[in-house]
Amino acid sequence: MLQRPVQSPRSHDVLLVGGGLANGLIALELRRRRPELRIGLLDPDVEPEPHTWCLFATDASPAAWQSLAPLLDQVWEGYDVAFPGHRRELTTAYGRLTSGALLAAVREALGPGLLRRRARLVSPEEVVCEDGDTYAAPLILDGRGASPSPHVDIRFQKFLGLELQLKRIHGLRRPIVMDATVRQTDGYRFVYALPLAADRVLVEDTRYSDAETFDRLQLESEMLRYARGAGWSVGEVVRRERGALPVVLSGDVEAYWDEPGRHVPQVGMRGLFFHPVTGYSFPDALQVAALVADNAHLGSRELARRLRERSIALWRQRSFYRLLNRMLFLAASPEDRYRVLERFYRLPQPLIERFYAGRTTFGDKARVLAGKPPVPVGRAFRAAVTKRASVHA
Ligand SMILES: Cc1cc2nc3c(=O)[nH]c(=O)nc-3n(C[C@H](O)[C@H](O)[C@H](O)COP(=O)(O)OP(=O)(O)OC[C@H]3O[C@@H](n4cnc5c(N)ncnc54)[C@H](O)[C@@H]3O)c2cc1C
């Protein structure tokens, strides 16, 4: 049971606002490398609905993957993809972290520093909570999740998942990261399936779509139909998961960072630390946790400046991914979007690994764009040069 702390200005060296993936990993990295620091983490929802975060082993440095390993609930030695004209097994390891495992580790690391509190005002020097309590620290990090902005033009990778308890063993050996053999509707559609136990599976209907909304009941029945089609005998739906991850088309990153409030160090989705195509933030979160631990002696304002610089540098390096997103969303007709991914998954595995890790090389880019484009050339060209007025891609 969490105890309500007495208001105590400057009772911490570091305050983490929001206890999700980014700040959870930062808390663990700080505790590991700076054990002397008094760390507080504020989140109103310290026991959220269970959910999972996955990443490829090649998304992390070998050292980061190794230190993450004890936290991961499962690591699979590869995964499958399937398209109408092409199936493939890849041997890149894929790991799964549950929110329960992260929370347990953070709880152990921070003890009474884990505070059930909702922040109302966050400044570089203090956090005012909804109940009026105020906490102060020389270093405050804002990891309260994505914050929408008029300066970033996004579409969505939206998904609805069902965790299914089956009556019998499913026989799925590896995750299916993309099964695009399903009916193409509402953009690029695929099913994602994770074998959680011999008789338990998570199936997600995922769509690269222009709209964030979806029909929950219809998607649920589609997923149950998919499970039946795979020969799985469904006993019970034990959990539901949904989300809409940002897929970035273009934006003005400097204007984003000039918005009010961003002089507090921004981490996680809020600091734009995510992959523009997949919306995944786990790989960046590991790197940001290392950056914060290296610079924890700096105050909020200086660290905010460094995080801003890192985020802007990553944004610039990642213009290629936004170009691909524009081709996917603006050039390909929704029912043909799968062709872009089908073609991508014919490329060599190391290229695919670098793509997901956000480390695509110049040569990779040439290979991704080489040959006959799977979308009409004229439209692809217009999409490539399309920018919203006054917005830099
Ligand atoms: C269902 C789902 C599945 C995903 N799966 C993956 C995946 O497999 N791999 C991957 O890399 N990415 C995944 N993502 C994308 C992304 O990595 C996650 O969204 C990730 O959780 C983002 O981390 P974050 O720390 O920025 O925000 P979050 O993890 O969302 O954490 C934000 C935290 O801030 C807290 N908070 C909000 N307001 C306040 C406040 N006022 N005061 C204090 N605390 C507050 C919230 O309670 C929350 O705990 C997934 C996203 C979703 C929605």
Side-chain angles (χ1 to χ4, degrees), residues 367-390:
R367 288 209 62 176
V368 169
L369 296 176
K372 183 175 175 303
V375 295
V377 178
R379 269 196 278 162
F381 179 73
R382 281 193 297 281
V385 297
T386 296
K387 296 175 188 176
R388 291 191 322 163
S390 77

Side-chain angles (χ1 to χ4, degrees), residues 17-23 42-45 48 51-55 94 117-120 143-146 159 192 204 241-245 267-270 279-283:
V17 186
L21 181 62
N23 270 342
L42 300 104
D43 197 310
D45 199 14
H51 57 271
T52 61
W53 297 283
C54 290
L55 87 167
Y94 193 57
R117 284 284 186 284
R118 179 180 295 280
R120 187 165 55 82
R144 286 177 289 169
F159 53 88
Y192 170 87
E204 283 184 359
E241 167 169 297
R242 62 189 283 181
L245 303 186
V267 297
M269 303 296 281
R270 185 169 278 262
Y280 273 26
S281 72
F282 206 153

